[in-house]
Amino acid sequence: MYTAHPDRYADMPYRRTGRSGLKLPALSLGLWHNFGPDRSVETQRAILRRAFDLGVTHFDLANNYGPPPGAAESALGEFLKADFAPYRDELVISTKAGYLMWPGPYGEWGSRKYVLSSLDQSLKRMGLDYVDIFYSHRPDPDTPLEETMGALHSAVQQGKALYVGVSNYSAEQTREAARILGELGTPLLIHQPRYSMLDRRPEDEGLLDALDELQVGSIVFSPLEQGVLSARYLDGIPEDSRAASDSPFLNSDALTEDLVGRLRDLNDIAKSRGQTLAQMALAWVLRGGRVTSALVGASSARQIEDSVGAIANLDFDAEELARIDAIVKQ
């Protein structure tokens, strides 16, 4: 029987999400590619337990996480029942709908039929009556935004979600989504964009500015760029790494000599801060408080421990930021 660590809230900072009453841990756990049948059940359990023991109260999913799609939600459902049932009210559990889940015209995107059917399936897989946050995972170019946002509003009205968010929406789309939801009476809580030291589109394209103006929270995915912003590739490409497998999300061609050289320079700055490169990369996206939470994945409990170590130093001085910018933008 699992008993959570009594001091799990001692160190983790919790940040208010936009202008809501909900606080999220500075680091949240994403159950993207490490929670499927090809992964050890004991390893999955160890990751979840260690995360919660360290104050990571938010588990982030989507209907298509696994692989195969749906597997991560099913796995979490088993662990919720076995380990976390007594702690459900201490957890923030989120899921999303938007990508392909079943064949035919109603199996993806943003129609009311798909979004609400997907949520029902997600709740069944996880064995939950509701999720804390339900997202539109991507904008649908063929469905009116009013319909997709109306479906999110209905999920709240039906008691199947407490809050709603969007992911992969542009600044303009986010403004319009927030306007529609505001008129319906269900505020837009949060946006989930991709953001890292190496991918600054939320800054460059005005998304972070829009979220500040709208008072909407943000939780960023891929802050480590699929592990690139870690010590993993400083001395080449390990045989058991994602890049070596030619994953569609990261392949060996992306790890050029120039990039590896810049990673080594960034690692030198991290060392001077008393951090690993991964810890500094997480601290960087969390700097200044504009980002509510950073999503991290993990293939072991040890990786969770390393990521959580980032919270020991979330501040940067002007010189450090300038050096990082000079390396990344050269």
Side-chain angles (χ1 to χ4, degrees):
M1 175 65 69
Y2 167 66
T3 301
H5 197 286
D7 296 330
R8 58 190 175 277
Y9 296 115
D11 298 317
M12 177 65 67
Y14 297 86
R15 297 178 169 188
R16 190 168 300 280
T17 312
R19 58 193 177 99
S20 77
L22 183 67
K23 292 182 177 181
L24 292 179
L27 295 174
S28 298
L29 178 64
L31 279 69
W32 177 41
H33 251 243
N34 291 316
F35 285 80
D38 60 336
R39 304 286 177 164
S40 160
V41 171
E42 288 309 311
T43 297
Q44 294 177 45
R45 174 176 282 115
I47 291 168
L48 290 168
R49 288 180 173 185
R50 190 64 181 133
F52 189 56
D53 283 346
L54 291 171
V56 178
T57 54
H58 179 209
F59 298 159
D60 178 77
L61 300 97
N63 56 1
N64 65 326
Y65 287 1
E73 290 179 330
S74 296
L76 181 65
E78 293 300 317
F79 295 126
L80 288 174
K81 182 168 58 177
D83 288 341
F84 295 99
Y87 307 106
R88 172 62 183 100
D89 292 336
E90 296 183 43
L91 291 170
V92 174
I93 297 171
S94 61
T95 197
K96 313 174 191 74
Y99 286 93
L100 181 65
M101 282 299 291
W102 59 87
Y106 320 120
E108 62 179 326
W109 294 109
S111 71
R112 180 178 181 85
K113 179 172 178 58
Y114 165 73
V115 168
L116 292 178
S117 296
S118 177
L119 177 57
D120 285 341
Q121 292 183 22
S122 292
L123 292 174
K124 184 176 181 180
R125 281 191 288 268
M126 291 186 284
L128 295 174
D129 296 323
Y130 71 94
V131 290
D132 297 275
I133 307 171
F134 182 46
Y135 290 86
S136 169
H137 205 166
R138 59 174 173 170
D140 183 343
D142 298 320
T143 298
L145 195 55
E146 288 82 0
E147 180 173 339
T148 305
M149 295 304 106
L152 296 185
H153 170 66
S154 292
V156 174
Q157 294 298 104
Q158 294 168 5
K160 296 176 182 179
L162 300 186
Y163 302 93
V164 299
V166 297
S167 182
N168 299 304
Y169 278 53
S170 69
E172 181 181 355
Q173 291 166 332
T174 302
R175 291 181 192 277
E176 185 64 5
R179 182 191 66 77
I180 295 166
L181 285 168
E183 291 177 356
L184 292 171
T186 297
L188 177 62
L189 173 82
I190 195 166
H191 189 300
Q192 187 173 133
R194 181 170 183 151
Y195 181 48
S196 74
M197 285 195 291
L198 299 180
D199 186 347
R200 304 189 181 196
R201 284 174 292 177
E203 289 180 12
D204 299 338
E205 297 173 2
L207 178 61
L208 293 185
D209 290 337
L211 298 179
D212 287 343
E213 293 167 18
L214 295 168
Q215 293 184 279
V216 169
S218 60
I219 179 168
V220 301
F221 69 90
S222 293
L224 303 182
E225 286 295 312
Q226 307 297 321
V228 170
L229 286 167
S230 72
R232 191 91 164 118
Y233 301 105
L234 296 178
D235 298 308
I237 301 175
E239 291 184 2
D240 62 345
S241 67
R242 180 170 289 171
S245 70
D246 281 331
S247 159
F249 306 106
L250 177 66
N251 59 62
S252 55
D253 292 340
L255 288 158
T256 63
E257 288 185 20
D258 174 69
L259 175 58
V260 172
R262 286 187 284 157
L263 294 175
R264 289 171 179 159
D265 290 341
L266 290 171
N267 189 54
D268 289 340
I269 300 175
K271 286 181 178 178
S272 72
R273 290 169 49 82
Q275 293 181 313
T276 65
L277 177 55
Q279 289 169 344
M280 185 178 77
L282 292 170
W284 186 89
V285 298
L286 292 167
R287 74 197 187 286
R290 293 188 84 184
V291 167
T292 312
S293 184
L295 276 167
V296 295
S299 58
S300 68
R302 179 62 183 270
Q303 283 190 352
I304 282 290
E305 293 169 356
D306 183 73
S307 293
V308 171
I311 65 176
N313 186 7
L314 297 178
D315 297 322
F316 291 80
D317 61 36
E319 181 183 355
E320 288 174 326
L321 293 174
R323 288 173 63 198
I324 290 169
D325 286 350
I327 293 167
V328 170
K329 297 178 180 181
Q330 68 186 18

